[in-house]
Amino acid sequence: MFYITLLLTFINKKYNIEINLIEINILFMDGLFKITKKKIIMKLFIYSLSIFIIYNISINPMNLNSEIFLILLVNILGITSLLLSNDWLITIISWELFNISLYLLININNLKESSLAASLKYIFLSALSTSFLIFGI
């Protein structure tokens, strides 16, 4: 137990991370991200779901672009940073990162006109809702 508290005090002094072992709240990067038990469980669920989706995409030999895996990884990055965010600015940036990858995923089948129309409608609706969110803050 002594070594754990010594390690935690070293981490707290060197990296400016606040750790509370009773409630398991970890504030990271001066409070921009907050890690709790529920958020860790939700992150594990998101990671396992994304591994399942990527596995199913790689098994089925469809005519897919090779960029779909990078787009999915950016999507996962956006949703996990949205989950951990503790600040409004990081929340909005994470939400936009998540939305940009969704724009690309909607328009991945660019041979159909309906996917292009759906992507364009989603961009306009998302820009409108984000502007309401930013101006409302």
Side-chain angles (χ1 to χ4, degrees), residues 37-69:
K37 282 184 186 178
K38 291 179 184 177
K39 290 183 179 184
I40 291 173
I41 291 170
M42 290 180 73
K43 273 183 69 169
L44 288 175
F45 176 72
I46 289 171
Y47 288 152
S48 61
L49 186 66
S50 62
I51 289 172
F52 177 72
I53 290 171
I54 291 174
Y55 178 71
N56 281 338
I57 288 174
S58 64
I59 285 179
N60 298 331
M62 298 187 312
N63 188 10
L64 290 177
N65 297 337
S66 61
E67 297 91 13
I68 193 165
F69 297 107

Side-chain angles (χ1 to χ4, degrees), residues 79-98:
I79 199 72
T80 54
S81 61
L82 179 68
L83 179 68
L84 295 178
S85 66
N86 198 27
D87 187 39
W88 273 107
L89 182 64
I90 300 298
T91 303
I92 291 171
I93 291 172
S94 303
W95 182 254
E96 287 303 315
L97 183 65
F98 175 67

